[in-house]
């Protein structure tokens, strides 16, 4: 367990910032509820923001994660590539299991016609696979792994900011509730730390 403690201590800035964001989000949810929180986080939409978030959300797509893994292989960072791949597959598997077990509705299925007017045609998904957010799981897995690999621990929180922005994009685009994003982020962060710990233990 000493190795796990050292990983947490080395990345304390990243993890403290993440913990703060998670707790604030959780308190917000408990205070206002799932649907009210969703509406509160979407006060207005406009075309430039639509274009930005439609494109930015792809950072949480599995294809982007694969591209990062390929880049690590090209750079011959074999261990890092395997760690990212393992964490990505495990967190994605857990996310899919949760989606099927809970089968929770996406925002489109929850709000009545006219109750929320910012759904984007051709972008917003319907269905009952809202919890947790797969994109959030993917991007927080990737951000946490890259933060762990980053030598400058004072700046590795930048990965967190990017992940939070992607998580918000899922709400802005009407794909997920804050509950889905928080759970996806939790899966991504915890699985990344666990995988890194297991890999470092094995190669001690």
């Amino acid at each position: 367990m000493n190795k796990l403690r050292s990983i947490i201590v080395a990345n304390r800035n990243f993890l403290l910032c993440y913990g703060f964001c998670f707790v604030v989000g959780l308190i917000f949810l408990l205070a206002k509820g799932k649907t009210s929180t969703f509406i509160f986080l979407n006060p207005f939409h406009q075309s430039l923001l639509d274009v930005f978030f439609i494109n930015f959300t792809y950072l949480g797509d599995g294809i982007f994660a694969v591209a990062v893994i390929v880049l690590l292989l090209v750079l011959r960072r074999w261990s890092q590539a395997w760690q990212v791949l393992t964490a990505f597959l495990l967190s994605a598997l857990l996310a899919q299991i949760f989606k099927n077990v809970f089968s929770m509705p996406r925002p489109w299925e929850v709000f009545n016609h006219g109750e929320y007017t910012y759904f984007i045609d051709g972008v917003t998904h319907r269905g009952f696979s809202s919890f947790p957010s797969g994109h959030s799981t993917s991007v927080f897995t990737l951000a946490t792994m890259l933060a762990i690999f980053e030598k400058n621990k004072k700046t590795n929180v930048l990965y967190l900011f990017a992940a939070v922005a992607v998580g918000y994009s899922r709400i802005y685009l009407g794909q997920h509730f804050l509950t889905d994003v928080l759970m996806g982020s939790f899966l991504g962060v915890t699985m990344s730390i666990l995988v890194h710990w297991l890999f470092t233990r094995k190669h001690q």
Side-chain angles (χ1 to χ4, degrees), residues 81-130:
W82 279 111
Q83 288 181 58
V84 174
L85 177 61
T86 303
F88 173 73
L89 291 177
L90 288 176
S91 61
L93 176 62
L94 282 175
Q96 290 304 313
I97 291 174
F98 281 20
K99 282 178 181 290
N100 283 279
V101 169
F102 293 100
S103 189
M104 297 180 70
R106 290 182 182 269
W108 183 290
E109 307 290 350
V110 172
F111 293 100
N112 296 322
H113 180 71
E115 191 175 3
Y116 177 78
T117 59
Y118 294 131
F119 291 123
I120 303 173
D121 291 337
V123 174
T124 301
H125 292 167
R126 304 186 185 190
F128 292 81
S129 58
S130 188

Side-chain angles (χ1 to χ4, degrees), residues 38-196:
F38 178 86
I39 293 175
F40 182 87
L41 291 172
N42 284 286
F44 69 95
H45 279 227
Q46 57 100 1
S47 58
L48 286 178
L49 282 176
D50 290 354
V51 171
F52 173 76
F53 282 119
I54 286 171
N55 289 280
F56 192 74
T57 200
Y58 283 111
L59 292 181
D61 192 88
I63 295 176
F64 183 77
V66 170
V68 172
I69 294 168
V70 171
L71 177 60
L72 291 172
L73 290 172
V74 170
L75 296 174
R76 297 187 177 183
R77 298 181 182 178
W78 313 117
S79 178
Q80 292 183 2
W82 279 111
Q83 288 181 58
V84 174
L85 177 61
T86 303
F88 173 73
L89 291 177
L90 288 176
S91 61
L93 176 62
L94 282 175
Q96 290 304 313
I97 291 174
F98 281 20
K99 282 178 181 290
N100 283 279
V101 169
F102 293 100
S103 189
M104 297 180 70
R106 290 182 182 269
W108 183 290
E109 307 290 350
V110 172
F111 293 100
N112 296 322
H113 180 71
E115 191 175 3
Y116 177 78
T117 59
Y118 294 131
F119 291 123
I120 303 173
D121 291 337
V123 174
T124 301
H125 292 167
R126 304 186 185 190
F128 292 81
S129 58
S130 188
F131 181 85
S133 164
H135 279 69
S136 298
T137 302
S138 174
V139 76
F140 274 91
T141 299
L142 189 57
T144 306
M145 295 295 334
L146 293 178
I148 290 172
F149 300 150
E150 177 63 55
K151 294 180 180 179
N152 189 345
K153 298 303 181 182
K154 294 181 179 179
T155 60
N156 69 353
V157 292
L158 295 176
Y159 295 110
L160 176 64
F161 297 153
V164 169
V166 172
Y168 176 71
S169 76
R170 307 310 292 162
I171 299 171
Y172 179 92
L173 297 173
Q175 309 280 40
H176 292 282
F177 293 101
L178 180 58
T179 46
D180 312 326
V181 173
L182 288 181
M183 187 59 187
S185 74
F186 181 78
L187 288 176
V189 172
T190 54
M191 290 308 301
S192 295
I193 293 173
L194 177 61
V195 167
H196 181 66

